[in-house]
Amino acid sequence: QKAGTTSLFEYIHQHPLAIKPKRRETHCFDWRWNTKLKSLQQQQEWCMNFFWKDELQHHPSCLTGDSTPSYLIDSIRVIPRLKQIFQHYAEMKFFIMVRDPIRRCQSHYAMVTSLDGTPAQIKARGIQWKNKTIEQTIQEDLQLLHKYGVIPYWDMKKECMDEELWNNFVNSPQEQDAWNAYITNCVPLNTGSYGIVARGLYALQIQSWLKEFTPTQFLILKLEEFQNRGIQSIMEDVWCHLGLPPYQVHDESPSNTRSYKSTMAPHTQQMLERFFTPHNQRLEHLLHNTRTGVRGGGGEVWKHPVWKY
């Protein structure tokens, strides 16, 4: 969320062989999962209603897809349902958008607390952060991550990392259990007001998906590279990943962007830099490990540091 997924969605669907779903964020595996439907066939029909299924059957060269950012963090709910509904999941292609997690955090807070938008959009953002500062929302999420054991290496009082604890805990079964507990208890439905820190733990989220799908099914893109490399260059990687012929994007305008003035205090910025630096390095290692097969839009993109603090 807040890492360029809407823009990527619009760029992809300028290709004549890419067909938009009936809505961008279907949420059919989380918010709109219909628990009243008991049979697999009913669930499949429900989810397929978000796509132009009948029309696509007559055009086998065309592709369609979903763009629901909350799926990345909500892996416990989403992955089993996705595999259940789309039994061709092994042939699917996935995109993951990331950006500087501190900038993502600021943008997330600005969006959720904004009164701009339709009544439906404002309702979906939730009211949990209403009348709270960005510092309060950050501290609340850090406390939840600590409560469920995701970040035992982070000293909440001193606001610093215990390197020995980090090295012993990262990639352990205890970490995965703690992350699952956080997702189960702290990822709600029908609101975007959650996970302001957790959504920036990219490697931890991505690993949950790599355990269930073939790594080569993923293309991971960094938002900052859209400006550094240029949109057309990025889209060449996208077309290749999707198996589509090259196509020139004619409208490079970004989507779902907003201007905002950061209210984050310098102390908070510095604290988050200390917190996210090892997590960013963890993402570097994940994408530099060629054995995973994950496509990351060029190795140079992920050289240390991924984001300069």
Side-chain angles (χ1 to χ4, degrees):
Q1 189 180 42
K2 306 312 300 174
T5 51
T6 305
S7 295
L8 178 62
F9 176 83
E10 294 297 338
Y11 297 149
I12 287 174
H13 289 98
Q14 291 182 39
H15 197 291
L17 296 180
I19 309 303
K20 284 186 176 182
K22 295 179 182 179
R23 62 183 306 149
R24 186 178 77 84
E25 296 188 29
T26 72
H27 283 288
C28 66
F29 297 127
D30 54 12
W31 294 17
R32 296 189 178 93
W33 180 258
N34 194 334
T35 57
K36 296 180 181 179
L37 303 179
K38 302 305 179 182
S39 74
L40 174 60
Q41 182 178 353
Q42 288 175 323
Q43 290 286 10
Q44 288 175 327
E45 290 175 354
W46 166 255
C47 289
M48 292 307 298
N49 283 334
F50 292 100
F51 305 93
W52 302 101
K53 177 184 175 182
D54 294 337
E55 290 80 358
L56 285 164
Q57 287 181 338
H58 299 292
H59 301 279
S61 297
C62 293
L63 302 179
T64 192
D66 194 352
S67 176
T68 304
S70 59
Y71 287 172
L72 180 62
I73 191 171
D74 198 3
S75 54
I76 293 178
R77 264 189 290 247
V78 171
I79 292 177
R81 294 171 178 176
L82 186 155
K83 285 188 167 184
Q84 177 186 2
I85 299 302
F86 295 117
Q87 296 178 0
H88 64 290
Y89 61 82
E91 303 170 14
M92 286 183 165
K93 298 294 184 179
F94 299 97
F95 295 92
I96 297 175
M97 293 287 298
V98 299
R99 72 184 295 190
D100 176 346
I102 300 176
R103 295 293 301 274
R104 195 219 68 80
C105 176
Q106 294 171 315
S107 181
H108 188 181
Y109 177 81
M111 179 197 71
V112 167
T113 57
S114 173
L115 297 178
D116 295 336
T118 66
Q121 288 173 327
I122 294 172
K123 180 180 179 181
R125 293 169 190 162
I127 60 173
Q128 289 83 354
W129 296 353
K130 187 177 181 181
N131 300 323
K132 292 182 180 178
T133 66
I134 190 170
E135 276 74 23
Q136 287 174 308
T137 61
I138 289 169
Q139 285 301 322
E140 287 175 0
D141 200 28
L142 283 171
Q143 288 167 6
L144 287 172
L145 287 165
H146 200 271
K147 173 183 176 180
Y148 288 100
V150 181
I151 54 171
Y153 41 76
W154 181 252
D155 190 314
M156 296 291 290
K157 291 183 179 180
K158 296 181 180 179
E159 296 183 334
C160 63
M161 191 79 69
D162 184 314
E163 187 173 348
E164 183 177 356
L165 279 176
W166 165 270
N167 291 332
N168 291 332
F169 185 72
V170 167
N171 294 323
S172 69
Q174 291 78 15
E175 182 187 41
Q176 188 62 57
D177 290 343
W179 180 241
N180 291 345
Y182 174 86
I183 295 173
T184 302
N185 292 281
C186 304
V187 176
L189 300 177
N190 299 320
T191 177
S193 300
Y194 70 91
I196 194 168
V197 175
R199 286 175 181 257
L201 305 180
Y202 300 126
L204 193 52
Q205 297 172 76
I206 292 169
Q207 284 180 343
S208 297
W209 286 79
L210 292 181
K211 291 175 183 177
E212 301 292 336
F213 298 94
T214 303
T216 51
Q217 291 179 257
F218 295 87
L219 177 60
I220 302 174
L221 299 171
K222 186 165 71 168
L223 177 62
E224 292 84 354
E225 287 303 296
F226 279 72
Q227 182 174 0
N228 295 338
R229 286 178 55 198
I231 292 171
Q232 300 297 342
S233 176
I234 294 289
M235 294 309 294
E236 289 176 7
D237 292 338
V238 171
W239 307 139
C240 181
H241 186 59
L242 291 173
L244 289 174
Y247 185 78
Q248 187 81 6
V249 172
H250 53 83
D251 183 0
E252 297 187 0
S253 304
S255 302
N256 197 25
T257 60
R258 68 186 70 242
S259 59
Y260 60 88
K261 183 179 180 180
S262 175
T263 59
M264 183 181 290
H267 170 81
T268 304
Q269 170 81 25
Q270 294 162 8
M271 179 273 289
L272 288 178
E273 289 177 6
R274 293 193 299 274
F275 178 83
F276 278 120
T277 292
H279 291 283
N280 295 345
Q281 293 172 349
R282 186 178 183 181
L283 178 64
E284 297 168 25
H285 297 154
L286 175 67
L287 297 182
H288 272 297
N289 183 355
T290 55
R291 289 176 299 174
T292 65
V294 175
R295 302 188 63 213
E300 294 295 318
V301 175
W302 307 104
K303 281 191 174 180
H304 180 72
V306 174
W307 293 284
K308 296 180 181 179
Y309 297 144

